[in-house]
Amino acid sequence: MNKTQVPALEGWFTMDAEKPHLLGTQCKGCGTYYFPRQTVFCKNPACESEAFDEVQLSRTGKVWSFTNACYQPPEPFVAPDPFVPYTIVAVELEKEKMIVLGQAVEGVEVSDLKAGMDMELVLETLFEDDENEKLTWKWKPLPTDGGAA
Amino acid sequence: MSGDIAILGVGMHPWGKWGKNFVEYGVHAGRAAIRDAGISWKDVQFVSGAATMRCGYPGYVAGATFAQALGWQGAEVNTSYAACASGSQALAAARTKILSGQCDVALVIGSDTTPKGFLKPAPGERPEDPDWVRFRLGITNPSYFALYARRRMEIYGDTQDDFALVKVKNAEHGFTNPNARYKKKFTAEDVAASAMVADPLRLMDICATSDGAAALIVSSLDYAKKIGRGDAVRVAAISTVTPTFASSIIEMPDLATDSAFAVEAQSFRASLPVKAYEEAGISPADVSVAEVYDLSTALEMDWYEDLQLCPRGEGAKLVREGATRIGGRIPVNPSGGLACFGEAVPAQALAQVCELTWQLRGQAGERQVENAKVGITANQGLFGHGSSVILKK
Ligand SMILES: [Zn+2]
C-alpha cells in the first residue's frame, strides 16, 4: 500500500514533485527576503514596512558549507531504526542573498561536496508514520554540464 | 571621568559534574571572591546575578537567590539573562550602578548545574518555533559548529590537524588549573581517535556542559583606593552589542541567515570586540592575553580573527606557530578554555574575567602569561547575545 505524501512542515515549501520551491516572503518596502515566511514586520532597521509579497525562493544555489550527523539527534527528530547518518548542507541563494540549511538527499556524502558547488532543491522523505510519508526539502548536487540528472 | 571600575576580588567553584544545587556552587564562588577582595559580605551594596534557565524559579531570580543564600543584608539585587553573555550583562549592570554613584561595591555572580542527559527542546509539535523545526529536520548544535569549521577548511585551507592543535594547546594550558574539569594532556592522536560527531568535528573538538560558578567583587576606583587597593585590575570596557542586520553567518537555531538583499551582511562575532576596543581606547596590538569561547576547536580560530589578533584567514597559522600558547606572542585561553572547563552558561563569561584577573595580577601560577597587562574576553551565544570585556592593569 502506498502511503500518502504530505509535507513534514505545512506551508514551508511547494509540493511540486519536479521543481519544488521554498515558500518565503519579500518586504514590499525594502526587498528583504524572509525564510521562514515573515508577514508582520521587517527586520531591516531602516524599514518600517509591514507589507509583504508571498514569494517562491530560488531553487538553486551554491554550497556555503556542509557537515553530517553521525549520531541520532534528540526528539523531535524522528529517526529510522537503525539510525542512518545524513549530510547537512548550507546553500547560498544568489538572488535572495541568504544561506539556507537543509539535509542533502540520501546517498550524498560529505566527501561529495565542495564550497561553491551548484545545488538544487528537491523533496524527499524526512520520516514516515503509519499513514503518511512526511516530505521535506533537501539539497541535491546539480549535474555538471552535460551530466544526466 | 574614567569609565573604569576596579576588580577587588574573584572566586570560582571548580567546574565539573558534581550533582549539587547551583546555589551551593554560587555561594562557594561568592565567598571566595569576597575573601579575595578583603571585604565583608555586609560591605556589598548590590548583588548582580546571571540567571540560569535550568534550575527553576531560583535560577530566574539568581541575584536574589544568592543574596538570600549569603544572608539577606539589605543590598539591592538584579538578575540578568543573556545566554552566554549573562555574566557580562550582570557585570555591566554593576558597572552602571557604580559609575552613576549609586553604589561603591557590588558582587557579580553566576552559577549553573547541568541537566541530566541531552539538552533537547520541550516535547510536542511546535512548528512555529524555529528551535523545534531545526531539531525536527535533524540540525543540532554541533551541526552549526561543524558548518563554521568546514567553511574554514574550504575557504582558508585549515585542516582537522589544525583543529586538533587547539585542543592540545588548551589541554596543556588547563592541566594545572585547579578550577578546570578536564585535566589531561590530550595529544593530536587522542583527538584523531575520538568519534566523529559532525564532520569535520570529532568528540574532542566540541566542548561539554558543566556545573560551575564564578563571582567578582567590583567597586569604584575611589573605594578601591580607600581600602588600599588602588592598584587593582580594572574593567576598561564591556561590550554587549546586538548583531547588526543583516547577519552574515547562519546562527543557531536559525534555518537561514538574514537576506542581505537590501543591506550588506555583517558578522556579529567581529562586531563584539570592536565596541570593546573603542570603549577602552585600546588596540588589538596592545592585548597580552585573551579568553575566548571555544565551543569548538575551530571556533577558537574564528575568534582570533574576530578579535583582530591576526588577519582574516590566518587563525590556523597562529596555532601552527604556537603564537597562542602560553609563552607565544598572544596566548589565548590560558585557563584551558571551554575545552578544559565545559560550558556553564551563566558562569562562563565571569570565569573568563576571573582568569584574566589572575593573569593581570600575576597570580596564575604555572599557566601565567608573562607580563600580562591587557586582557580581552569574547563569547557569543543564542538569540543575538554575546560580549567582550577588556581588563587592564
Ligand atoms: Zn523591509
Side-chain angles (χ1 to χ4, degrees):
Chain A
M1 185 190 96
N2 281 340
K3 292 182 183 179
T4 313
Q5 295 193 326
V6 298
L9 294 162
E10 197 69 53
W12 285 58
F13 47 86
T14 63
M15 286 292 283
D16 181 344
E18 289 298 310
K19 295 195 162 167
H21 286 267
L22 295 175
L23 292 171
T25 53
Q26 185 176 24
C27 174
K28 279 182 188 281
C30 71
T32 295
Y33 288 92
Y34 288 96
F35 179 77
R37 295 166 66 259
Q38 171 87 22
T39 55
V40 183
F41 47 81
C42 179
K43 294 184 192 173
N44 177 354
C47 178
E48 290 186 9
S49 168
E50 294 177 355
F52 296 82
D53 289 319
E54 303 285 335
V55 293
Q56 299 191 343
L57 300 189
S58 305
R59 51 181 306 281
T60 59
K62 289 183 186 303
V63 172
W64 183 80
S65 191
F66 48 95
T67 179
N68 61 8
C70 302
Y71 289 93
Q72 183 177 323
E75 287 173 29
F77 185 76
V78 184
D81 187 19
F83 171 72
V84 183
Y86 51 88
T87 301
I88 296 166
V89 197
V91 174
E92 239 174 331
L93 307 183
E94 193 186 354
K95 185 179 73 172
E96 293 83 359
K97 290 191 164 47
M98 69 198 296
I99 297 168
V100 179
L101 293 187
Q103 287 189 20
V105 290
E106 279 171 33
V108 170
E109 308 276 335
V110 161
S111 55
D112 299 326
L113 297 170
K114 273 211 77 55
M117 260 176 71
D118 291 311
M119 305 291 280
E120 73 167 325
L121 194 90
V122 297
L123 298 184
E124 205 175 70
T125 305
L126 181 63
F127 65 95
E128 297 180 24
D129 59 21
D130 291 340
E131 298 93 48
N132 299 316
E133 233 178 87
K134 306 266 193 171
L135 301 189
T136 186
W137 77 89
K138 293 193 185 179
W139 293 109
K140 180 180 178 182
L142 264 178
T144 41
D145 45 29
Chain B
M1 179 194 122
S2 165
D4 296 352
I5 57 169
I7 300 181
L8 298 179
V10 293
M12 289 169 68
H13 183 287
W15 263 229
K17 256 195 196 299
W18 310 107
K20 294 183 196 164
N21 190 287
F22 80 104
V23 185
E24 202 174 324
Y25 310 136
V27 167
H28 177 99
R31 292 216 167 113
I34 291 165
R35 265 197 313 278
D36 187 46
I39 62 163
S40 138
W41 160 233
K42 286 184 189 156
D43 297 330
V44 172
Q45 298 155 318
F46 183 57
V47 179
S48 194
T52 165
M53 295 294 124
R54 297 170 178 170
C55 304
Y57 206 96
Y60 306 150
V61 294
T65 298
F66 297 127
Q68 185 182 30
L70 290 161
W72 293 129
Q73 41 81 318
E76 290 183 287
V77 297
N78 162 73
T79 300
S80 301
Y81 188 71
C84 301
S86 299
S88 298
Q89 278 206 2
L91 176 60
R95 181 177 69 164
T96 302
K97 205 87 167 157
I98 290 166
L99 292 178
S100 66
Q102 291 177 49
C103 85
D104 295 316
V105 191
L107 168 65
V108 185
I109 180 166
S111 176
D112 206 5
T113 294
T114 46
K116 289 202 169 64
F118 267 118
L119 267 180
K120 60 181 176 190
E125 297 276 315
R126 288 177 291 112
E128 69 293 338
D129 173 0
D131 204 40
W132 183 92
V133 172
R134 58 115 174 178
F135 273 103
R136 169 58 50 102
L137 294 178
I139 296 164
T140 63
N141 296 9
S143 311
Y144 292 88
F145 307 147
L147 289 169
Y148 307 153
R150 174 63 66 176
R151 178 74 182 168
R152 292 195 62 88
M153 293 172 74
E154 294 289 302
I155 300 302
Y156 306 134
D158 291 12
T159 66
Q160 285 169 293
D161 291 344
D162 294 329
F163 303 156
L165 287 177
V166 175
K167 175 71 175 185
V168 172
K169 167 188 75 76
N170 287 343
E172 207 168 292
H173 287 177
F175 184 64
T176 58
N177 189 339
N179 291 310
R181 173 176 172 190
Y182 302 102
K183 280 174 267 191
K184 186 170 177 228
K185 287 190 183 174
F186 291 108
T187 63
E189 290 73 34
D190 293 331
V191 181
S194 68
M196 188 69 83
V197 173
D199 194 322
L201 298 179
R202 297 177 178 278
L203 195 58
M204 291 183 66
D205 287 300
I206 299 169
C207 92
T209 53
S210 293
D211 301 356
L216 317 171
I217 295 288
V218 290
S219 79
S220 65
L221 299 184
D222 283 346
Y223 184 91
K225 276 181 209 130
K226 203 174 76 189
I227 65 163
R229 294 289 307 283
D231 62 346
V233 169
R234 297 173 179 198
V235 177
I238 306 170
S239 165
T240 58
V241 294
T242 67
T244 298
F245 184 87
S247 72
S248 60
I249 296 171
I250 185 100
E251 302 277 8
M252 216 153 56
D254 298 336
L255 287 168
T257 58
D258 292 332
S259 148
F261 182 87
V263 188
E264 206 175 322
Q266 309 225 17
S267 160
F268 177 37
R269 268 202 316 266
S271 71
L272 285 160
V274 169
K275 193 231 172 186
Y277 285 131
E278 275 174 17
E279 192 174 289
I282 278 170
S283 90
D286 300 326
V287 172
S288 359
V289 54
E291 281 281 315
V292 306
Y293 229 61
D294 55 319
L295 291 165
S296 84
T297 48
L299 193 64
E300 179 170 312
M301 295 193 281
D302 285 327
W303 280 120
Y304 298 167
E305 297 160 13
D306 293 324
L307 289 175
Q308 301 169 48
L309 304 179
C310 67
R312 192 60 66 189
E314 293 185 12
K317 186 163 159 253
L318 231 54
V319 180
R320 290 181 207 134
E321 292 170 353
T324 52
R325 290 175 56 171
I326 295 168
R329 173 173 74 77
I330 171 68
V332 176
N333 282 337
S335 70
L338 293 176
C340 294
F341 276 74
E343 189 187 18
V345 177
Q348 212 67 47
L350 296 175
Q352 293 182 319
V353 174
C354 289
E355 175 65 16
L356 292 184
T357 302
W358 283 316
Q359 291 290 348
L360 267 53
R361 286 175 177 174
Q363 294 177 342
E366 288 185 60
R367 55 178 205 285
Q368 181 64 47
V369 172
E370 214 176 308
N371 205 20
K373 289 195 171 73
V374 172
I376 187 165
T377 75
N379 54 64
Q380 189 221 329
L382 289 172
F383 299 110
H385 290 301
S387 69
S388 180
V389 174
I390 293 178
L391 303 192
K392 66 179 185 193
K393 263 174 123 162

